Amino acid sequence: MKRTRMTILVVFVLSLLLALPAMTEDAATLLTIYEGPKTMTSSRIASVSANGYDLFVYDVMVNHEHIWNANTQPARTPMTYFDFEGKVRVEITMPGLEKPVESAKVIPQSYGIEPTVRDGVVSFLITEPGQYTVVFNDSVNKALHIFANPLETDVPDPNDPNVFYIGPGEWVMDAIALQDNQTLYISGGAVVHSIVSVANAENVRICGRGIIDGSDYPAWNQPGSYARVPIDLNHSKNVRVEGIILANSNCWNLNSYSSKDVTIDNVKIISGRQNGDGFTFQSCTNHLVTNCFARTWDDSLVLKNYSGSTKGITFRNIQIWTDLAQSMEIGYETDKGWTLDPEISDVLFEDITVLYNFHKPVISIHNSDDAYVHDIVYRNIVVENALMQGDNGNNKELIEMTLLKYGWSTVKDEYGSIDNVLIDGLTVLNTVDGRMPASRFVGHNEKHRITNVTLRNITINGQPITDLKTMKVTINDYCEAITIE
């Protein structure tokens, strides 16, 4: 069936005629499953069921090249989702693997799930909503991502004139521009090929269970193409983004620029193309990102200054899979707008699980302009696989903080500083060949320094770290009070 380009109002009318997602009840369990669009075919890589009900499985773009390649062609990996309350038995077969499934693991490890594998069928029980990734035969190739949402509540009224309601099905649309007091609802079972813009607006909500899919657009750096950000917030206030999936973007994924009072909850990102940053904010204040997932082919969680300072940003309870670049990055651009006395401050990364980091540092502050970066906290960070490799040269650090100029620097003749950083609870479960990864701190001169960095409760490969030498930390002469407790 040919996909049709329509306005969002036409989509709203048609969606009322489409079937609602099936609701099933098994003992004390409520399970909502969503049919895939009739114009799409369920994945041939994976077959997944929940409590015996077949799920529609999407093939999404990922990138296994841990080198920068302007013309790389992403691979595909399976992804599915449902909503539930109670207990769900998940069963998986993987006909798309080159070899039969002999072993499987469910991550993050904190779930404590030990799946069974019998005759090529993987089975396990889940009892709480969350993001689950299944890795087969000790290979990340064709890992399965399962987004097990809580039951949906507070669904907007489709009859409200300020609600744009997109029902199940596959839709191709021009850009969706939201204004003051408007809500965009993307229902489960919907795949929307479009981008969403919120510019100079307030009191806006984007929600649902569906997918915003960028696979119709060539990568942003290809001839004739340009960046099409799935969700782009610009000079906006009081925005909520909840529940949806962003897949196959041609560049960045969820961008916020000079906006404030933004909450992002249970948003899932899978990105496999150039500059596929996950949650990326520039010159923003009072942002909360919580209960989210980001698998990216560039920085996963990133803060920068483009036209002012950044303050009051919290990333909490997030799973990260970083195929290229940094997992938690501040910088490199910290004063792209030549702001007077720019700052990045009051930032919290808390309860972050890094499933895989394949490229550059896990924790990084690259102040390559002249900002004052201070009062930054990393608390309870678990890195399941710190595998920094690829084309990063010597940039294989676990932690890196620098006041150096790079190709991204805008302010060429001035430098900033980094002060009062706390890393409290960093656990690394696995490194390359069990080796201790290096970390480094590089200030610029006597005036522009890195000061007062405290490392506390650090464990790497099961070894509690109590001194900088054991942790292979290098510090230049322009740093002060870098300590381990």
Side-chain angles (χ1 to χ4, degrees):
M1 183 181 295
K2 183 179 180 180
R3 291 178 293 168
T4 306
R5 185 177 297 275
M6 301 180 181
T7 68
I8 193 166
L9 292 177
V10 173
V11 171
F12 163 71
V13 174
L14 291 180
S15 69
L16 298 180
L17 305 177
L18 297 174
L20 295 175
M23 176 73 75
T24 65
E25 185 171 357
D26 182 9
T29 294
L30 294 172
L31 172 65
T32 307
I33 60 176
Y34 299 97
E35 291 186 357
K38 301 301 183 184
T39 51
M40 301 178 68
T41 303
S42 189
S43 173
R44 295 182 180 179
I45 299 173
S47 177
V48 187
S49 68
N51 283 354
Y53 295 92
D54 291 336
L55 302 178
F56 191 94
V57 181
Y58 301 83
D59 288 335
V60 293
M61 295 181 185
V62 294
N63 201 321
H64 297 298
E65 291 186 26
H66 306 132
I67 61 173
W68 174 258
N69 182 349
N71 299 302
T72 191
Q73 296 300 313
R76 296 279 178 170
T77 211
M79 176 271 292
T80 190
Y81 66 96
F82 56 87
D83 305 346
F84 85 107
E85 181 181 279
K87 298 180 180 180
V88 170
R89 171 68 58 181
V90 176
E91 292 192 342
I92 306 161
T93 59
M94 294 293 294
L97 291 185
E98 294 181 359
K99 298 180 179 180
V101 177
E102 296 178 351
S103 65
K105 60 181 178 181
V106 178
I107 53 177
Q109 295 183 30
S110 59
Y111 284 136
I113 294 175
E114 294 290 341
T116 62
V117 180
R118 184 175 295 111
D119 298 327
V121 178
V122 179
S123 178
F124 57 92
L125 185 71
I126 62 174
T127 59
E128 58 182 306
Q131 296 97 30
Y132 298 79
T133 297
V134 188
V135 175
F136 307 95
N137 297 339
D138 295 320
S139 170
V140 296
N141 253 356
K142 298 182 175 63
L144 169 66
H145 298 292
I146 302 173
F147 302 137
N149 302 298
L151 294 176
E152 193 173 15
T153 60
D154 195 20
V155 176
D157 180 0
N159 296 310
D160 186 329
N162 283 322
V163 172
F164 297 122
Y165 187 104
I166 301 179
E170 186 176 23
W171 310 100
V172 179
M173 303 179 188
D174 295 322
I176 302 169
L178 298 176
Q179 300 177 0
D180 290 355
N181 306 309
Q182 290 185 333
T183 293
L184 171 64
Y185 178 76
I186 305 173
S187 67
V191 176
V192 181
H193 300 277
S194 185
I195 59 176
V196 180
S197 173
V198 182
N200 300 296
E202 59 181 270
N203 304 323
V204 172
R205 184 182 179 205
I206 303 166
C207 59
R209 289 291 186 264
I211 301 171
I212 299 177
D213 183 289
S215 58
D216 277 11
Y217 311 128
W220 74 271
N221 63 336
Q222 298 304 302
S225 186
Y226 58 93
R228 295 175 180 266
V229 182
I231 296 181
D232 194 16
L233 314 179
N234 190 326
H235 288 87
S236 292
K237 178 182 178 181
N238 193 20
V239 179
R240 293 188 64 88
V241 187
E242 306 163 289
I244 62 174
I245 298 168
L246 307 181
N248 309 325
S249 172
N250 85 335
C251 59
W252 306 274
N253 283 270
L254 203 163
N255 180 68
S256 185
Y257 171 60
S258 291
S259 296
K260 62 181 180 179
D261 303 330
V262 172
T263 298
I264 301 166
D265 188 4
N266 189 28
V267 172
K268 287 77 64 176
I269 291 172
I270 300 180
S271 170
R273 292 198 279 184
Q274 294 85 350
N275 296 97
D277 294 44
F279 299 96
T280 175
F281 308 147
Q282 304 90 37
S283 305
C284 290
T285 57
N286 297 335
H287 280 40
L288 169 64
V289 184
T290 186
N291 306 318
C292 291
F293 178 95
R295 178 174 181 179
T296 61
W297 203 60
D298 214 320
D299 305 324
S300 296
L301 310 178
V302 55
L303 301 178
K304 303 179 182 183
N305 281 343
Y306 275 17
S307 64
S309 294
T310 294
K311 184 175 183 179
I313 310 296
T314 296
F315 296 100
R316 177 179 290 126
N317 191 29
I318 301 171
Q319 293 180 33
I320 298 171
W321 176 320
T322 311
D323 282 309
L324 189 91
Q326 289 94 186
S327 290
M328 289 166 278
E329 160 74 349
I330 297 176
Y332 288 81
E333 304 96 309
T334 61
D335 188 11
K336 196 171 182 177
W338 289 77
T339 302
L340 184 65
D341 299 325
E343 298 183 33
I344 297 178
S345 66
D346 301 303
V347 176
L348 172 63
F349 297 86
E350 184 174 48
D351 298 330
I352 309 295
T353 299
V354 181
L355 303 177
Y356 289 92
N357 180 297
F358 280 106
H359 196 230
K360 291 184 177 180
V362 173
I363 294 174
S364 52
I365 302 177
H366 295 123
N367 188 357
S368 72
D369 290 312
D370 62 342
Y372 174 34
V373 179
H374 63 98
D375 294 290
I376 314 295
V377 175
Y378 304 83
R379 181 175 291 118
N380 191 24
I381 311 298
V382 177
V383 187
E384 296 204 353
N385 295 281
L387 308 175
M388 293 75 73
Q389 299 179 83
D391 67 343
N392 53 8
N394 295 321
N395 193 199
K396 297 178 171 63
E397 287 78 20
L398 174 66
I399 302 168
E400 182 176 60
M401 300 184 191
T402 65
L403 302 175
L404 301 174
K405 297 302 181 185
Y406 295 89
W408 300 277
S409 299
T410 299
V411 180
K412 301 297 184 181
D413 55 349
E414 297 182 17
Y415 288 80
S417 60
I418 299 172
D419 180 56
N420 196 25
V421 178
L422 171 65
I423 301 176
D424 185 3
L426 171 62
T427 302
V428 180
L429 301 181
N430 178 47
T431 62
V432 177
D433 298 327
R435 299 193 302 264
M436 182 70 63
S439 295
R440 72 168 183 157
F441 298 81
V442 182
H444 174 63
N445 59 23
E446 292 294 342
K447 183 178 179 181
H448 302 285
R449 302 166 64 86
I450 300 175
T451 53
N452 302 311
V453 178
T454 301
L455 310 178
R456 182 184 298 156
N457 300 319
I458 311 295
T459 302
I460 300 176
N461 294 326
Q463 177 183 357
I465 305 300
T466 57
D467 63 272
L468 297 173
K469 182 178 180 180
T470 300
M471 196 174 170
K472 297 178 64 176
V473 176
T474 59
I475 303 171
N476 77 350
D477 292 338
Y478 306 116
C479 299
E480 180 181 354
I482 314 296
T483 60
I484 288 186
E485 297 179 354

